Amino acid sequence: MDTSDTPQNGLRVLSLDGGGIRGLSTLYILERIMYQLRPTDDPKKRVKPCEVFDVIAGTSTGGLLALMLGRLEMDVQSCIKAYKDLSSTVFTPRKRVAFGGSLLHKLVGAAPFSAEKLESEIRKVVEDNEPLEDGGTKIPKGKENTRDVPLLVNPAQRCKVFVCVTMENSKPLRLRSYSSMKEPALGCSIWEAGRATSAAPSFFDPVKISNGATLRDGGLLNNNPILQLMDELNVEFPGQKIACVVSVGTGVGQTKVLGKSLISVAKACASIATDTNATAQQFKRSFASESQPLHNRYFRFEVEQGLQGVGLEEWKQMDLIFSVTNAYLDDRREELKDCVTILQESTPT
């Protein structure tokens, strides 16, 4: 990758966890950060994450949000509205199951939510927000139903985006909005990348993209994509200084214990595998402890109490997510202030 356009003061990078409807908590956290970054001479200006961060990575819900905020260059408020609309439409079960819920759907091979609805809603978000060369935000008439338009890869954009997905052989894969030094792009469209990273195994069927690859979301392996992000920076931006790392979660989940039944064991194992907090702790030990270079330049924001009982698909809990997240942010004023200060100080001149 050509690094000539990277900021002299170092990369500012953003990592977004998976978490279903709890991704709204992620957006409320980012909304507060963007609000505090607004310029003093234009306090009504909506600062966009794509104007602040050089690289945005995401998994599952976080992957979809990364595409919306980074590749589609949406402001956070517009993203909140679009994500609310999408969630209330998509998270409506297509049929009832007497026993086992979404796990039983997984075992019998039928996901509980409609992949067709998910695809349709993602396409709509892309069509409404794809930035064009002339500064508009609409796909030209006649191209609305073209599978490979608009493409995920767009070298002209300063903000780089990648989302984590999983291939059929269970190996992780990164879908990028930029050309990689390591491997060729799959040539997928924005909506295909959004559909793939959102295809949580117990909620939606996988997607076969235009080049024939079948993909699911990357949540089971990298629900917190921070380690994937650091590896990507090492490969694609070798030797580039990192100014600030912001990692945003969707709420600490409930502790799971292994039961005696097959279903309880499977649920507990899935919960352990997607434990974003454990990954955050691993990252801090490896990169952000007091003896590490990223100390004081790494910020992890995630609601610790109040969202444990909110299921990934429970879109009717939007008000609770808002109130709990705002209470959390009020308790993290100093951390937010420190984060905003570093982001401001590392702005390219």
Side-chain angles (χ1 to χ4, degrees):
M1 175 189 295
D2 179 10
T3 58
S4 61
D5 62 344
T6 56
Q8 295 180 352
N9 295 329
L11 295 168
R12 297 174 295 175
V13 299
L14 175 64
S15 175
L16 304 178
D17 292 7
I21 187 60
R22 297 200 309 266
L24 278 174
S25 180
T26 295
L27 290 173
Y28 292 135
I29 291 170
L30 289 175
E31 182 181 37
R32 185 74 65 94
I33 294 173
M34 294 302 109
Y35 181 78
Q36 294 186 14
L37 283 169
R38 71 196 189 283
T40 55
D41 60 346
D42 188 8
K44 293 184 179 181
K45 174 180 171 58
R46 289 187 179 184
V47 179
K48 297 180 180 181
C50 67
E51 299 169 337
V52 175
F53 295 100
D54 303 289
V55 183
I56 304 178
T59 295
S60 194
T61 287
L64 185 56
L65 298 183
L67 292 170
M68 294 167 74
L69 297 169
R71 178 60 182 82
L72 297 179
E73 300 183 348
M74 296 173 66
D75 62 72
V76 180
Q77 290 89 338
S78 297
C79 192
I80 289 172
K81 182 182 184 307
Y83 192 69
K84 282 183 175 182
D85 292 342
L86 180 149
S87 298
S88 59
T89 299
V90 167
F91 288 121
T92 300
R94 57 184 178 185
K95 58 183 176 181
R96 290 184 176 273
V97 176
F99 301 100
S102 61
L103 184 64
L104 181 57
H105 275 297
K106 180 182 177 183
L107 295 176
V108 300
F113 300 103
S114 169
E116 290 75 20
K117 282 185 180 180
L118 177 62
E119 176 182 326
S120 176
E121 289 301 306
I122 293 175
R123 280 178 176 269
K124 182 176 182 298
V125 171
V126 174
E127 291 171 5
D128 289 344
N129 296 281
E130 163 63 352
L132 302 176
E133 292 182 1
D134 62 1
T137 57
K138 293 286 186 179
I139 296 175
K141 288 190 177 297
K143 293 188 176 181
E144 293 90 341
N145 298 317
T146 305
R147 267 183 80 82
D148 60 352
V149 175
L151 290 175
L152 174 62
V153 175
N154 183 2
Q157 288 185 304
R158 187 190 71 84
C159 181
K160 320 294 186 194
V161 176
F162 78 84
V163 299
C164 297
V165 299
T166 306
M167 296 182 286
E168 283 187 291
N169 61 1
S170 298
K171 297 295 183 181
L173 180 69
R174 299 167 197 166
L175 301 180
R176 303 173 177 87
S177 69
Y178 50 94
S179 299
S180 168
M181 296 177 64
K182 181 176 73 169
E183 57 196 7
L186 291 185
C188 67
S189 63
I190 301 175
W191 80 259
E192 286 176 321
R195 171 72 175 82
T197 196
S198 303
S202 58
F203 288 87
F204 299 102
D205 293 329
V207 61
K208 179 175 285 190
I209 64 174
S210 50
N211 79 338
T214 298
L215 304 173
R216 292 186 180 275
D217 88 327
L220 192 60
L221 301 172
N222 298 289
N223 207 34
N224 177 345
I226 187 66
L227 298 178
Q228 289 284 319
L229 174 57
M230 297 307 295
D231 181 69
E232 182 78 358
L233 297 179
N234 184 55
V235 172
E236 304 294 348
F237 298 88
Q240 182 71 38
K241 177 184 175 182
I242 300 174
C244 186
V245 178
V246 180
S247 174
V248 187
T250 60
V252 176
Q254 292 176 317
T255 301
K256 297 289 184 180
V257 297
L258 297 178
K260 295 182 179 180
S261 70
L262 173 62
I263 289 179
S264 66
V265 170
K267 284 183 176 180
C269 289
S271 177
I272 293 169
T274 56
D275 186 349
T276 60
N277 193 50
T279 303
Q281 293 303 316
Q282 179 184 350
F283 174 83
K284 192 168 184 179
R285 288 193 299 269
S286 301
F287 296 95
S289 64
E290 291 188 11
S291 61
Q292 300 297 330
L294 287 179
H295 177 56
N296 290 333
R297 288 186 286 127
Y298 164 65
F299 298 90
R300 171 70 174 173
F301 298 107
E302 181 172 38
V303 172
E304 296 166 353
Q305 295 292 332
L307 297 181
Q308 291 94 331
V310 179
L312 274 66
E313 77 285 11
E314 294 181 11
W315 61 270
K316 292 184 179 180
Q317 298 281 4
M318 290 180 185
D319 288 345
L320 174 65
I321 295 171
F322 175 78
S323 61
V324 169
T325 303
N326 273 277
Y328 164 82
L329 289 169
D330 288 343
D331 289 338
R332 294 295 185 278
R333 290 176 183 173
E334 290 304 313
E335 283 182 68
L336 284 167
K337 180 180 178 181
D338 291 342
C339 178
V340 168
T341 297
I342 289 182
L343 288 172
Q344 289 172 329
E345 291 177 348
S346 57
T347 301
T349 57

